[in-house]
Amino acid sequence: MTTKRTDSSNTDFQSLVKLLDADLAIRNGDDHAFYDQFNKIDAIKNCIVIYIDEIPAACGAFKKFEENTVEIKRMYTNPNFRKRGLATTIVNELEAWAKELGYKKAVLESSLEQNEALSVYEKSGYQRIPNYGQYIGIDKSVCYEKSL
């Protein structure tokens, strides 16, 4: 396993995000267009790609949310590589990178239908918070935060 820090211009990151978006289109159904508008990847400076035998297997990213806070975005593991702890590795690496850059807290939003993701976040110490920003009042969204 190899972990690479990169940015959103990385073609492997872009390929994994395309798979993520296809999966989310199915999971989110009629609500996909709403969520999709907040998930553009142009100009994200902090992205992680995990490779298994040189194959891009998982990804994640963060972007500045507030002064001392990052928002975790674009988490995805290719189905061929699931159940290996890659999502937890991505979360840990994103948190470490954010801490190196001086951030003190991470927030994120996920869908209630993404049980696997919610489990990873909760096991990683994220606490549920009231929905923030564009997710306020969205019943299918769940938001989390964690001190870094």
Side-chain angles (χ1 to χ4, degrees):
M1 177 175 76
T2 305
T3 303
K4 180 178 183 178
R5 290 182 178 185
T6 188
D7 62 33
S8 61
S9 69
N10 179 285
T11 55
D12 292 332
F13 177 76
Q14 292 173 5
S15 295
L16 287 165
V17 167
K18 284 181 184 173
L19 295 172
L20 168 62
D21 287 338
D23 181 61
L24 290 175
I26 294 166
R27 289 181 191 240
N28 293 334
D30 293 340
D31 296 324
H32 184 66
F34 170 79
Y35 290 107
D36 191 50
Q37 68 182 319
F38 305 114
N39 289 324
K40 305 303 178 206
I41 63 168
D42 49 318
I44 297 179
K45 297 175 185 163
N46 305 96
C47 304
I48 301 286
V49 178
I50 289 182
Y51 296 86
I52 304 290
D53 298 327
E54 299 182 26
I55 300 168
C59 69
F62 70 79
K63 64 180 186 175
K64 183 177 180 178
F65 182 71
E66 292 176 342
E67 181 66 27
N68 294 312
T69 305
V70 297
E71 183 178 28
I72 305 290
K73 304 288 289 177
R74 313 289 36 210
M75 291 285 300
Y76 182 73
T77 302
N78 182 307
N80 296 328
F81 298 99
R82 290 187 180 158
K83 306 242 185 254
R84 298 185 189 190
L86 299 182
T88 299
T89 299
I90 292 275
V91 169
N92 291 338
E93 182 64 24
L94 290 170
E95 291 172 357
W97 195 1
K99 280 176 72 172
E100 289 170 22
L101 295 174
Y103 291 100
K104 306 292 184 205
K105 185 168 64 170
V107 297
L108 61 88
E109 180 275 340
S110 190
S111 169
L112 285 172
E113 282 113 14
Q114 293 181 278
N115 293 328
E116 310 94 341
L118 300 181
S119 177
V120 167
Y121 301 137
E122 290 170 5
K123 287 178 185 176
S124 296
Y126 283 78
Q127 301 293 315
R128 190 164 176 181
I129 60 172
N131 287 2
Y132 57 81
Q134 63 268 26
Y135 306 112
I136 293 172
I138 306 298
D139 294 336
K140 290 185 177 182
S141 286
V142 58
C143 294
Y144 288 89
E145 74 176 9
K146 179 181 178 180
S147 294
L148 300 178

